[in-house]
Amino acid sequence: MSLPEIAMKKGYVCQLNPLCKCGIHSVLLTAYTKDNVGKRFFSCGFMEVNISNMWNFFMWFGDVELIGWAKKLVMHLRTSCNDFESKLIATRNELAIQKEEMQSMSIELAKTRTQLEILLTDKTQSLEFITSEMRKLSRGGIRCMECHIR
């Protein structure tokens, strides 16, 4: 992925945006600080990629400033968005943990199934042996031990 493509993920990049000292077009971003809520500005496209390569390019976009209820609304929406993102991350983490637990349970279930199949095979073989021995005894006639003692 090229640097302009990376920069485009973070803000609006256009051929009309001013060039940074690094040679790529700057990124149009929105400020969310207390004093500059909603104000747009241009910044170096390297800003989010590699801080050490940032050229400290900064320029306000226009002179529009939010005031009063608009400023409060933007801050409220930004806070709500951040809260939603935090909850989304937490939910994804919980799902990952549950997925690991289910995989572990699946492995345990497979082991238990194998053990049960072995036990069933052993019990079946034992039952077949006992049945075979009983048939042999019934062919020769079953006699009580007391009958042999005189």
Side-chain angles (χ1 to χ4, degrees):
M1 186 179 300
S2 69
L3 287 174
E5 289 173 326
I6 295 170
M8 284 173 60
K9 286 186 164 193
K10 286 309 215 178
Y12 178 74
V13 177
C14 172
Q15 297 294 331
L16 300 175
N17 290 7
L19 283 176
C20 177
K21 297 173 190 172
C22 66
I24 67 169
H25 288 278
S26 58
V27 181
L28 182 60
L29 301 168
T30 305
Y32 292 102
T33 61
K34 186 176 180 180
D35 294 333
N36 297 306
V37 175
K39 284 183 78 173
R40 308 296 305 266
F41 64 95
F42 292 106
S43 182
C44 177
F46 279 113
M47 185 173 72
E48 294 292 328
V49 180
N50 187 349
I51 285 293
S52 64
N53 288 335
M54 192 173 89
W55 294 91
N56 294 322
F57 177 78
F58 178 87
M59 182 191 314
W60 287 113
F61 175 72
D63 57 359
V64 177
E65 185 175 338
L66 295 178
I67 56 172
W69 67 269
K71 193 175 193 176
K72 289 178 184 176
L73 177 63
V74 169
M75 284 305 286
H76 172 73
L77 291 173
R78 181 66 177 179
T79 301
S80 296
C81 185
N82 288 341
D83 291 347
F84 176 75
E85 286 178 11
S86 296
K87 289 176 184 176
L88 181 61
I89 290 169
T91 301
R92 284 182 177 157
N93 290 340
E94 285 179 34
L95 285 174
I97 290 169
Q98 289 178 356
K99 182 179 179 181
E100 287 177 14
E101 289 175 356
M102 287 182 69
Q103 288 172 339
S104 176
M105 292 168 93
S106 179
I107 291 169
E108 286 299 314
L109 180 62
K111 287 179 184 176
T112 303
R113 183 179 290 136
T114 302
Q115 290 172 346
L116 285 173
E117 287 172 353
I118 291 169
L119 280 172
L120 183 59
T121 301
D122 289 348
K123 297 296 178 189
T124 302
Q125 289 173 350
S126 295
L127 185 58
E128 288 172 355
F129 174 77
I130 291 170
T131 304
S132 168
E133 291 299 311
M134 288 182 72
R135 283 188 188 133
K136 288 177 187 175
L137 288 173
S138 65
R139 284 187 210 132
I142 300 176
R143 295 192 178 182
C144 175
M145 290 299 282
E146 293 175 7
C147 298
H148 291 290
I149 300 174
R150 294 192 183 211

